[in-house]
Amino acid sequence: MNKLKTGILTKGACFCMLLISLNSCSGCSETEHTEAVTASIEAAQMMGRTDARVFVNRQWNDTSELHYRLRQIRERHDSLSHKFSKEYAAAYDSAFISTIRTVHPDLALHITRFNSDAK
């Protein structure tokens, strides 16, 4: 009888340990998922800043070329929205316009108007 009780207790303890380890693993995957989402959002922000630097470091004498480049940026935004989520696209947009607004406020105003007219 003692061996039977000991075996049941051991199996019960193993089962509890298994449940605890499964729960801790699912916690790890949630953490890993959160870290992956954070890294993706940071990548979208970096992409937005990089694209903004192209606009800031260039003299835009021709508005048609500026509008062409802005359409390309909008396509990238739409691509981010479709491939990932609106959070990534919003992170990209925010970094893009805030970088331009910091360095070249007049250009940021023109871009904001262009985007609102395009919608």
Side-chain angles (χ1 to χ4, degrees):
M1 219 44 180
N2 278 340
K3 288 184 178 182
L4 183 60
K5 285 182 181 178
T6 305
I8 291 172
L9 289 175
T10 304
K11 287 180 183 178
C14 289
F15 181 73
C16 288
M17 298 274 292
L18 178 63
L19 286 177
I20 290 170
S21 66
L22 287 175
N23 285 336
S24 68
C25 287
S26 68
C28 290
S29 67
E30 287 176 24
T31 301
E32 290 171 356
H33 176 71
T34 302
E35 289 173 354
V37 168
T38 301
S40 297
I41 288 174
E42 288 175 0
Q45 289 171 332
M46 288 174 27
M47 195 181 334
R49 287 186 205 106
T50 300
D51 286 348
R53 287 185 191 107
V54 171
F55 281 82
V56 170
N57 293 327
R58 184 164 180 190
Q59 292 293 325
W60 297 99
N61 299 324
D62 184 10
T63 57
S64 63
E65 187 175 347
L66 172 64
H67 291 175
Y68 172 75
R69 290 287 294 152
L70 288 172
R71 281 188 219 96
Q72 288 179 327
I73 295 298
R74 190 176 315 120
E75 288 173 8
R76 181 170 286 189
H77 169 271
D78 293 344
S79 173
L80 287 172
S81 291
H82 293 307
K83 287 182 183 176
F84 301 105
S85 77
K86 293 186 183 207
E87 291 174 342
Y88 304 126
Y92 174 87
D93 286 345
S94 178
F96 177 80
I97 199 65
S98 65
T99 301
I100 293 175
R101 192 174 288 133
T102 300
V103 179
H104 201 313
D106 294 336
L107 180 59
L109 182 62
H110 182 81
I111 290 170
T112 303
R113 286 183 187 151
F114 175 80
N115 285 338
S116 64
D117 289 344
K119 290 181 180 179

